[in-house]
Amino acid sequence: MAKDSDKIAKLVAGIADGQRRALAQAITLIESTRADHREDADLLLEQILPLSGKSIRIGISGVPGVGKSTFIESFGMHLINKGFRVAVLAIDPSSQRTGGSILGDKTRMEILSRQQTAFIRPSPAGATLGGVARRTREAMLLCEAAGFDVILVETVGVGQSETAVSEMVDMFLLLLLPSGGDELQGIKKGIMELADMVVVNKADGDLAPAANRAAAEYHAALGLMRPSSPNWKPRVKKCSALHDEGIAEIWSAIEEFRTKLWESNEIPDKRVKQAVSWMWSEIKESLVFAFKDKPEIDKALEKVESDVISGKIAPATAARKLLNIFLKA
Amino acid sequence: MAKDSDKIAKLVAGIADGQRRALAQAITLIESTRADHREDADLLLEQILPLSGKSIRIGISGVPGVGKSTFIESFGMHLINKGFRVAVLAIDPSSQRTGGSILGDKTRMEILSRQQTAFIRPSPAGATLGGVARRTREAMLLCEAAGFDVILVETVGVGQSETAVSEMVDMFLLLLLPSGGDELQGIKKGIMELADMVVVNKADGDLAPAANRAAAEYHAALGLMRPSSPNWKPRVKKCSALHDEGIAEIWSAIEEFRTKLWESNEIPDKRVKQAVSWMWSEIKESLVFAFKDKPEIDKALEKVESDVISGKIAPATAARKLLNIFLKA
């Protein structure tokens, strides 16, 4: 135990000193599912928590092919050239299904990954969405404690992970292609409405006119949705990440967002709400886990569920049956 | 116990016979929170379940002022004149806050409420959303067992209740005003995307041109969203409920929806999925209830939550602390 707290103290010191190696080790620790590691992780989090909170947390999403890596490379380098330290975290619950993490490809963000003031961390392979999102939230706090000014949380724009990401960041960016409305078909319902900023990428060459049309369409569509902040109306920006065009304007808009929402106290409020709802979602997930884990439930569940499916018992009755089993066990 | 099962048998017979009085009593029974009533309700549901499932279940939402009552009155009378039996259920979690159920006003749906083949039931006063939604699902089954052909589940377009409603119906209708995009500001995020049909009401007199413009705008906006069914693209219809105009066209489109989605097996599939996820949401809600209900949790929660708010402990650590208390207690 004494040894462990020594180890944690060293990690904390390394993180506070901005050492990427200590940061990477700490993230590995919080990603571990071993019970003793989890205790160490709690100790670690407790100590770095006071050092966290100073970055701007940005979620970035978009369907495969929209150019997320190119965008993050270009955007990240822009920030690094301005003297900021940039961390990139990825949430990709599909990594196991598709056979590779979205950040697993070594050729991605080649320039950015070589910078001393950049830190790139893929999501753990094979983790569930809930697990990934949880660990990513904690990794974000660790990056902040290590002095990173901008945290980019990357996710693929095709699933539930966007909601999870939007619930842990200050601002949510949605990257879209210049192909206009049709392309939104590939995006999951509701994601457009999470966006604080829509960025039409690949606005260059032949695609420039299409990008203009798409930007106008998205602008109109966003106008039909209720903005989630009283102090910020979602914007539509165009860029060519490949040619580093439009990137500075995007950063200016993000800075404007940050200033407005800090001054109106919206970001701090949002973070407190996010923390409380994060606690509750952990509690709920763990309760369901404990429920399913009971051998008595495991035994009864299949039969009850198939009775619900075949219409033999009402869902509420089924739930009550199982709960009685759980609470008695 | 024997007496209770006699009572239930009588209720079931009355419902199967289409008696509105028996139906109303049964709904009162399932709305009761008393444990013994709950047991009776389970018995009742078990018996009526084989009789249920034959209606088309339609959710209807829209902000206050859009003319929901007028629409339901006009639409309901259209169906009754065609020989259908129509049940109207309401979900209004705000009823206590605003001091009156959305169906509490006796002057609402005056003509419809006097029909022998109509059944109108407001949501129980002061119930929570989860509770209301649960009981409304069960009331829907009871109405079906009583031979109602069309079930309309009404809700106000300003809150979470829309998601709950969309998860219990076959088709979701969103009523909108002719005032165009601006008005969507009052509608909660994501609701537009739940709609299988958008109906622009008050498309009459001076407002007719505005209604045309609004319909075109909504049509464009819906085109940007991914339809939830491969066999149905959300439609935009105009009507004047006050003058009974456009109502027949709306019903034709609903019939087309029903035919297509029954033939493709989508509605039966959707209902099975809805039943299973309903069971799970009951389980989750009850687990959280059992969690909060533990005196040990009640004692510890406030302190832990305030530590999360002040940033003293990480949310995941807080969750683990509370869970340990719960599982030990």
Side-chain angles (χ1 to χ4, degrees):
Chain A
M1 196 61 190
K3 228 175 141 191
D4 273 3
S5 53
D6 279 2
K7 195 183 83 184
I8 299 300
K10 256 191 204 158
L11 270 182
V12 172
I15 291 169
D17 191 37
Q19 292 167 18
R20 291 196 299 179
R21 210 179 115 84
L23 176 58
Q25 281 174 349
I27 295 180
T28 302
L29 176 66
I30 59 160
E31 281 172 0
S32 168
T33 49
R34 266 176 51 185
D36 58 330
H37 286 175
R38 214 41 254 178
E39 270 173 42
D40 285 353
D42 282 343
L43 198 63
L44 173 69
L45 284 169
E46 205 179 314
Q47 295 181 40
I48 64 93
L49 215 50
L51 307 172
S52 72
K54 287 178 206 93
S55 81
I56 169 119
R57 305 165 179 174
I58 306 172
I60 297 181
S61 184
V63 292
V66 75
K68 274 193 304 298
S69 316
T70 316
F71 176 80
I72 293 176
E73 172 110 325
S74 172
F75 184 64
M77 284 309 298
H78 178 79
L79 297 176
I80 283 184
N81 291 334
K82 279 184 161 281
F84 293 118
R85 302 184 69 205
V86 178
V88 182
L89 304 170
I91 290 196
D92 180 16
S94 67
S95 57
Q96 219 176 22
R97 196 161 31 107
T98 58
S101 161
I102 47 174
L103 277 168
D105 186 348
K106 296 273 185 218
T107 61
R108 289 186 63 218
M109 308 179 201
E110 216 182 328
I111 306 165
L112 190 63
S113 63
R114 275 191 261 115
Q115 306 301 312
Q116 277 302 316
T117 50
F119 179 81
I120 303 184
R121 179 86 180 195
S123 54
T128 61
L129 172 60
V132 175
R134 253 185 275 177
R135 299 300 84 87
T136 305
R137 282 171 186 276
E138 292 172 348
M140 199 171 68
L141 301 178
L142 294 172
C143 291
E144 288 183 337
F148 286 90
D149 308 290
V150 182
I151 319 275
L152 306 177
V153 183
E154 180 191 3
T155 180
V156 283
V158 289
Q160 284 192 285
S161 55
E162 285 66 34
T163 314
V165 170
S166 76
E167 281 164 4
M168 70 176 81
V169 296
D170 302 322
M171 185 175 194
F172 191 76
L173 249 68
L174 178 61
L175 294 192
L176 292 173
L177 287 165
S179 46
D182 286 346
E183 173 235 344
L184 261 185
Q185 308 288 330
I187 292 207
K188 250 208 123 191
K189 283 193 168 200
I191 292 179
M192 184 84 171
E193 300 190 327
L194 298 174
D196 296 302
M197 192 184 295
V198 165
V199 174
V200 181
N201 192 23
K202 307 195 181 177
D204 51 41
D206 284 0
L207 289 172
N212 284 331
R213 279 196 308 275
E217 268 186 53
Y218 297 140
H219 182 79
L222 284 172
L224 287 174
M225 295 165 192
R226 191 170 68 161
S228 54
S229 158
N231 302 302
W232 182 261
K233 275 199 156 190
R235 307 250 176 108
V236 179
K237 294 275 171 195
K238 289 175 294 175
C239 79
S240 164
L242 193 65
H243 299 106
D244 300 322
E245 288 164 13
I247 301 295
E249 291 74 12
I250 291 168
W251 176 243
S252 303
I254 293 173
E255 284 194 305
E256 192 190 328
F257 176 91
R258 174 166 60 172
T259 307
K260 282 194 176 158
L261 272 72
W262 267 106
E263 279 171 2
S264 60
N265 224 29
E266 262 192 84
I267 289 179
D269 283 352
K270 192 176 176 177
R271 288 180 175 184
V272 163
K273 276 189 202 124
Q274 284 173 338
V276 172
S277 84
W278 173 8
M279 180 188 86
W280 278 108
S281 74
E282 293 255 349
I283 290 173
K284 283 174 196 169
E285 263 182 56
S286 310
L287 283 172
V288 172
F289 184 82
F291 177 82
K292 288 184 179 168
D293 207 37
K294 274 260 190 286
E296 292 86 348
I297 293 294
D298 195 41
K299 239 177 79 186
L301 185 60
E302 202 179 330
K303 168 84 175 80
V304 172
E305 208 168 40
S306 84
D307 282 350
V308 168
I309 289 169
S310 64
K312 253 189 241 161
I313 61 170
T317 313
R320 251 186 316 276
K321 265 192 186 179
L322 292 170
L323 265 160
N324 285 340
I325 296 174
F326 175 72
L327 294 174
K328 269 177 207 153
Chain B
M1 198 59 191
K3 228 175 142 189
D4 272 5
S5 53
D6 279 2
K7 195 183 84 183
I8 299 300
K10 255 191 204 155
L11 270 183
V12 171
I15 291 169
D17 191 39
Q19 292 167 18
R20 291 197 298 180
R21 211 179 114 83
L23 176 59
Q25 282 174 348
I27 296 179
T28 302
L29 177 66
I30 59 160
E31 281 172 2
S32 169
T33 50
R34 266 176 52 183
D36 57 331
H37 285 175
R38 214 42 252 179
E39 271 174 42
D40 286 351
D42 281 343
L43 198 63
L44 172 69
L45 283 169
E46 206 179 313
Q47 295 182 40
I48 63 95
L49 215 50
L51 308 172
S52 72
K54 288 178 204 95
S55 82
I56 170 122
R57 304 163 179 176
I58 305 170
I60 297 181
S61 183
V63 292
V66 74
K68 273 193 304 299
S69 317
T70 315
F71 176 79
I72 292 175
E73 172 110 324
S74 172
F75 183 63
M77 284 308 299
H78 178 77
L79 297 176
I80 282 184
N81 291 333
K82 278 183 162 285
F84 293 117
R85 301 185 69 205
V86 179
V88 182
L89 305 169
I91 290 195
D92 180 15
S94 66
S95 57
Q96 218 176 24
R97 196 163 30 107
T98 58
S101 160
I102 47 173
L103 277 168
D105 185 347
K106 296 274 183 214
T107 60
R108 288 187 64 218
M109 308 179 200
E110 215 181 330
I111 305 166
L112 189 65
S113 64
R114 277 193 257 114
Q115 306 302 311
Q116 276 303 315
T117 50
F119 178 82
I120 302 183
R121 179 86 180 195
S123 54
T128 62
L129 173 59
V132 176
R134 253 186 275 175
R135 301 297 85 87
T136 304
R137 282 170 185 277
E138 292 173 346
M140 199 170 67
L141 302 178
L142 293 173
C143 290
E144 288 183 337
F148 286 90
D149 309 291
V150 183
I151 318 275
L152 305 177
V153 183
E154 180 190 3
T155 180
V156 283
V158 290
Q160 283 192 287
S161 55
E162 285 66 35
T163 314
V165 170
S166 77
E167 281 164 5
M168 71 175 80
V169 296
D170 303 321
M171 185 177 194
F172 191 77
L173 249 68
L174 178 62
L175 294 192
L176 292 173
L177 287 165
S179 46
D182 286 347
E183 172 235 346
L184 261 185
Q185 308 287 330
I187 293 210
K188 248 208 124 192
K189 282 189 166 206
I191 291 181
M192 185 83 170
E193 300 191 326
L194 298 174
D196 298 299
M197 192 184 295
V198 165
V199 173
V200 181
N201 191 23
K202 306 195 182 179
D204 53 41
D206 282 0
L207 290 172
N212 284 331
R213 279 198 306 275
E217 267 186 52
Y218 296 139
H219 182 79
L222 284 172
L224 288 175
M225 296 166 194
R226 192 170 69 161
S228 55
S229 158
N231 302 301
W232 182 261
K233 276 199 156 193
R235 308 251 176 106
V236 179
K237 295 276 172 192
K238 289 172 295 175
C239 79
S240 165
L242 194 65
H243 298 107
D244 300 321
E245 287 164 12
I247 300 297
E249 291 75 12
I250 291 169
W251 176 241
S252 303
I254 293 173
E255 283 194 306
E256 191 190 328
F257 176 92
R258 175 167 57 175
T259 306
K260 282 194 176 159
L261 272 72
W262 267 106
E263 280 171 1
S264 61
N265 225 30
E266 262 193 81
I267 288 179
D269 282 353
K270 192 176 177 179
R271 286 180 176 185
V272 164
K273 277 190 202 121
Q274 284 174 338
V276 172
S277 84
W278 173 9
M279 180 188 87
W280 278 108
S281 75
E282 292 255 350
I283 289 173
K284 284 173 194 168
E285 262 182 57
S286 310
L287 283 171
V288 173
F289 185 82
F291 177 82
K292 287 184 178 166
D293 206 39
K294 274 259 189 288
E296 292 87 347
I297 293 295
D298 194 43
K299 238 175 82 185
L301 185 59
E302 201 179 331
K303 169 83 174 80
V304 172
E305 206 167 43
S306 84
D307 281 350
V308 169
I309 290 170
S310 65
K312 252 190 242 163
I313 61 171
T317 314
R320 251 185 316 277
K321 263 193 187 177
L322 291 171
L323 264 159
N324 284 339
I325 295 175
F326 176 71
L327 294 174
K328 269 178 207 151

